[in-house]
Amino acid sequence: MEWLDTPCPSPDAGAIIAARLRQSQLTKPPGALGDLETLAIRLAGLQRRERPAIDKVQISVFAADHGVAEEGVSAFPQAVTAQMVQNFLTGGAAISVLAGELDATLEVVDVGVKTTLSHPQLISQRAGDGTANSALEAAMGHAQMHLALQAGADAAARARSASADLFIGGEMGIANTTAATALYCALLDTPIDEITGAGTGLDGAGMAHKVTVIRRILNQHRHHFPDPLETLRCVGGFEIAALTGAYLRAAQLGMPVLVDGFISTAAALVAVRLQPALADWLLLSHLSAEQGHSFAVAEFKHPPLLDLGMRLGEGSGAAVAVPLLRLACALHNNMATFAEAAVAGKLP
Amino acid sequence: MEWLDTPCPSPDAGAIIAARLRQSQLTKPPGALGDLETLAIRLAGLQRRERPAIDKVQISVFAADHGVAEEGVSAFPQAVTAQMVQNFLTGGAAISVLAGELDATLEVVDVGVKTTLSHPQLISQRAGDGTANSALEAAMGHAQMHLALQAGADAAARARSASADLFIGGEMGIANTTAATALYCALLDTPIDEITGAGTGLDGAGMAHKVTVIRRILNQHRHHFPDPLETLRCVGGFEIAALTGAYLRAAQLGMPVLVDGFISTAAALVAVRLQPALADWLLLSHLSAEQGHSFAVAEFKHPPLLDLGMRLGEGSGAAVAVPLLRLACALHNNMATFAEAAVAGKLP
């Protein structure tokens, strides 16, 4: 696990300057492409070249179960985690459809679904048969958490080996908005009831119960806060740990990361607490409709690109933002300059 | 011009019900895809089928000059209109790059650029050598406006003949934020200085001067407000009239329209004032960074999809939103249902 402390590289200042200069010469009023300009310039810095590209995208979805599901914090039964893994693999889930449309590589990693699954395309790197119930004890043991972090790092390494230009992490795990909310409360010190949302669709009574359970989780493990890894171990989940490891490793290996929604941002927050320099590598894709995500994204310098009221997870919000990155690069790389097109510049 | 009064059809209620039912059966928590669900359902109603598609997209960019440019209301010289038309045709402009990436048909229509242009791909349907200066007289004569409206309707008809699933209008015309702002002031009764923006990049003094010019325009033509066509004729522009005609005709012919930013929304507003039923056919793509666009979009039922700080025009913001529509359709059409994937539904 020495890689955990490997520093994330800094963006290339020279490439940023070159990209910014290029943007200023393209046939448009300065700044008229808004966030698409900023994106192209950020990507230039991360990919260390004046003209970035997002051709090859890897999406790794990590699935695991949560002991805390037995507290009745989800609107869906726990069996859905395993059923959705099957659905990812057979192409019927949102992320499967999106990966196909984007021509992205989709891999599914079992980091600890309760039922053992078998499928030729499933990557099995299980840290346990679901986590323990964090309302009663630590969700993970130390060795388990390390296995899950490593599963994430391995996914990032596979993406790098396949020359991916962008890494997206996704997750599936019934009850994982409870784990993510507990992480936010512990790391951000935000009020539980302001950050707790409906997850997959709780009603008012269900939300109130979820708040009570999260309060129990926080009281149980408060002495470990705000140490990020211990907090992750006590209240998190295998798939959240895997995302944490994947984000850090992707950045260490020089790959920009597109972060999905509420659960993924919790992993991103843990990872940034471990290494603040990671923040440059994380592009937030969308603002989730899950109440509380706005607190989380406020911790990052750049706001999310999209606000479409999505709250599905799986990496779906990040996938939906991929075309924006691709179009930002295409505009940056292929538009004519004022000189090339013989277009007059701004009046003096 | 009898087509101007042809009613826009109503969306198909049966297709909407079928699409809504299908969304409720897909393997995701109800509503978890947010605006992408709403979009797919709206498109189903407009395309009159349970499973909509946005395969073929036509982008028609209308270019024209504005007499009011002589009042010094733009940060760029008037010659840029013609130069940018050339740039559209040779592939160097933002909209050219976007059309290529989206595999969309791009056509450029000269509806009255001051300099006569000639290019084998340029569609020439000129209503004049630029409009008259609206600070002094009506921008267009009646016959001129009808020519421009017809140029737009013809573009929509070409899109329909080519079986386009979606119509996008774009525009180019130095000084056209002045024309659009005057239209908004006349039709929305909003305060001039709240709705006047920097356009292609005016400084504070330039903005103050632009406000003064717009006040002169409004005083000059106030007796014609709020009649939408007379307002368009007196303070609008050829490309804005063309967009107005194109939007109406596209809807009449059963094609959904993706509306671009500040200028395009002004045309959309005129068109909706002529035929309120058109509103169902207009999908707003993005909130422009041009000050005042938020007043304009508030007139429509559905908010814009994107807010990326763009303010370029050309149809570029609409083009950037095309992948969202395509992904919304792909998810809607290709995700598995709970029954197909044997995934358990919500707990009772």
Side-chain angles (χ1 to χ4, degrees):
Chain A
M1 296 289 294
E2 315 84 61
W3 62 266
L4 209 54
D5 299 317
T6 303
C8 300
S10 295
D12 185 316
I16 289 174
I17 290 167
R20 200 174 281 148
L21 179 65
R22 178 164 172 76
Q23 277 290 337
S24 73
Q25 294 170 334
L26 300 177
T27 43
K28 58 180 173 53
L33 287 172
D35 296 345
L36 300 183
E37 298 188 14
T38 323
L39 261 180
I41 294 165
R42 279 189 77 186
L43 289 169
L46 298 174
Q47 295 186 346
R48 315 188 82 74
R49 48 181 167 171
E50 187 203 30
R51 305 200 188 187
I54 302 292
D55 297 327
K56 220 172 152 45
V57 176
Q58 178 170 315
I59 305 173
S60 299
V61 182
F62 304 98
D65 272 309
H66 288 257
V68 74
E70 72 193 26
E71 300 291 338
V73 287
S74 176
F76 279 79
Q78 191 172 45
V80 166
T81 306
Q83 290 163 353
M84 283 302 293
V85 167
Q86 205 68 34
N87 198 22
F88 296 150
L89 293 164
T90 50
I95 194 62
S96 324
V97 171
L98 293 169
E101 293 293 313
L102 299 170
D103 199 18
T105 302
L106 175 65
E107 56 172 44
V108 187
V109 186
D110 175 4
V111 277
V113 178
K114 202 164 179 182
T115 336
T116 308
L117 293 160
S118 130
H119 187 286
Q121 260 76 60
L122 180 65
I123 298 168
S124 186
Q125 239 173 316
R126 296 169 57 80
D129 302 332
T131 54
N133 180 350
S134 58
L136 304 174
E137 58 188 308
M140 302 174 246
H142 290 90
Q144 286 186 311
M145 182 176 65
H146 285 173
L147 282 170
L149 287 163
Q150 188 66 49
D154 290 351
R158 283 191 299 276
R160 177 75 298 180
S161 298
S163 304
D165 301 302
L166 181 77
F167 180 85
I168 290 176
E171 41 58 46
M172 176 70 218
I174 291 298
N176 69 6
T177 60
T178 294
T181 306
L183 274 170
Y184 287 129
C185 291
L187 296 175
L188 297 180
D189 208 22
T190 43
I192 305 176
D193 45 354
E194 284 185 41
I195 210 158
T196 304
T200 49
L202 292 174
D203 59 14
M207 295 250 291
H209 175 64
K210 186 172 168 183
V211 166
T212 310
V213 172
I214 293 168
R215 189 166 287 124
R216 281 172 55 206
I217 297 171
L218 296 174
N219 288 336
Q220 179 75 22
H221 304 290
R222 201 170 291 282
H223 54 294
H224 290 297
F225 308 156
D227 177 80
L229 273 187
E230 273 300 280
T231 304
L232 173 64
R233 189 178 70 80
C234 291
V235 314
F238 296 143
E239 79 283 38
I240 300 176
L243 284 169
T244 304
Y247 291 159
L248 279 167
R249 196 68 191 137
Q252 289 166 0
L253 297 173
M255 259 180 308
V257 170
L258 191 55
V259 178
D260 189 29
F262 190 72
I263 314 293
S264 298
T265 310
L269 186 63
V270 173
V272 165
R273 288 292 152 91
L274 290 171
Q275 287 211 33
L278 171 65
D280 284 327
W281 293 85
L282 303 178
L283 312 169
L284 301 191
S285 61
H286 79 117
L287 180 66
S288 167
E290 177 73 2
Q291 188 180 320
H293 197 220
S294 52
F295 288 95
V297 301
E299 294 290 303
F300 295 84
K301 197 165 56 182
H302 297 276
L305 291 167
L306 296 170
D307 179 5
L308 296 171
M310 294 176 71
R311 51 177 174 78
L312 178 57
E314 305 179 4
S316 60
V320 167
V322 166
L324 294 186
L325 273 60
R326 285 179 168 163
L327 293 176
C329 291
L331 289 162
H332 180 81
N333 298 339
N334 303 333
M335 277 179 71
T337 63
F338 282 101
E340 286 164 356
V343 171
K346 223 173 142 172
L347 291 165
Chain B
M1 297 290 294
E2 316 83 61
W3 62 266
L4 208 55
D5 299 317
T6 304
C8 300
S10 294
D12 185 315
I16 290 174
I17 290 167
R20 200 174 279 147
L21 179 65
R22 177 163 173 78
Q23 277 289 338
S24 73
Q25 295 170 335
L26 300 178
T27 44
K28 59 179 173 55
L33 287 173
D35 297 344
L36 300 183
E37 299 188 12
T38 323
L39 262 181
I41 293 165
R42 279 188 77 186
L43 289 170
L46 298 174
Q47 296 186 346
R48 316 187 82 75
R49 47 180 167 171
E50 187 203 31
R51 305 198 188 189
I54 303 291
D55 296 328
K56 219 172 152 43
V57 175
Q58 178 170 314
I59 305 172
S60 299
V61 181
F62 304 98
D65 272 308
H66 289 258
V68 75
E70 72 193 25
E71 300 290 339
V73 287
S74 176
F76 280 80
Q78 190 171 46
V80 166
T81 305
Q83 290 162 355
M84 283 302 294
V85 167
Q86 205 68 33
N87 199 22
F88 296 150
L89 293 164
T90 49
I95 194 62
S96 324
V97 171
L98 292 169
E101 292 293 313
L102 299 170
D103 199 18
T105 302
L106 174 65
E107 55 170 46
V108 186
V109 186
D110 174 3
V111 277
V113 178
K114 201 162 179 181
T115 337
T116 308
L117 293 159
S118 132
H119 187 286
Q121 260 78 58
L122 180 65
I123 297 168
S124 186
Q125 238 173 317
R126 296 168 58 81
D129 302 332
T131 55
N133 181 350
S134 58
L136 304 174
E137 58 188 308
M140 302 175 246
H142 290 90
Q144 286 186 309
M145 182 176 66
H146 285 172
L147 282 170
L149 286 163
Q150 188 65 50
D154 290 351
R158 284 191 299 274
R160 176 76 297 181
S161 298
S163 306
D165 301 302
L166 181 76
F167 180 84
I168 291 176
E171 42 57 47
M172 176 71 218
I174 290 299
N176 68 6
T177 61
T178 294
T181 306
L183 275 170
Y184 287 129
C185 290
L187 296 175
L188 298 180
D189 207 22
T190 42
I192 305 176
D193 45 356
E194 285 184 41
I195 209 158
T196 305
T200 50
L202 292 174
D203 58 14
M207 295 249 291
H209 174 64
K210 186 172 168 183
V211 166
T212 309
V213 172
I214 293 168
R215 188 167 288 123
R216 280 172 55 206
I217 297 171
L218 295 174
N219 287 337
Q220 179 75 21
H221 304 291
R222 200 171 292 282
H223 54 291
H224 289 298
F225 309 157
D227 177 81
L229 273 188
E230 272 302 278
T231 304
L232 174 64
R233 188 178 70 79
C234 292
V235 313
F238 296 143
E239 80 284 38
I240 300 177
L243 285 168
T244 303
Y247 290 160
L248 279 167
R249 195 67 191 137
Q252 290 166 359
L253 298 173
M255 261 180 307
V257 170
L258 191 55
V259 179
D260 189 29
F262 191 72
I263 313 294
S264 298
T265 310
L269 186 63
V270 173
V272 165
R273 288 291 153 90
L274 291 171
Q275 286 210 34
L278 170 65
D280 283 327
W281 293 85
L282 303 179
L283 312 169
L284 301 191
S285 61
H286 80 116
L287 180 66
S288 167
E290 177 73 5
Q291 189 180 318
H293 196 220
S294 52
F295 288 94
V297 301
E299 293 291 303
F300 295 83
K301 199 165 55 183
H302 297 276
L305 291 166
L306 295 169
D307 179 4
L308 296 171
M310 294 176 70
R311 50 178 174 78
L312 178 57
E314 305 179 4
S316 60
V320 167
V322 166
L324 293 184
L325 273 60
R326 286 179 168 162
L327 293 175
C329 291
L331 289 162
H332 180 81
N333 297 339
N334 303 332
M335 277 180 71
T337 63
F338 282 102
E340 285 164 355
V343 171
K346 223 171 143 173
L347 290 166

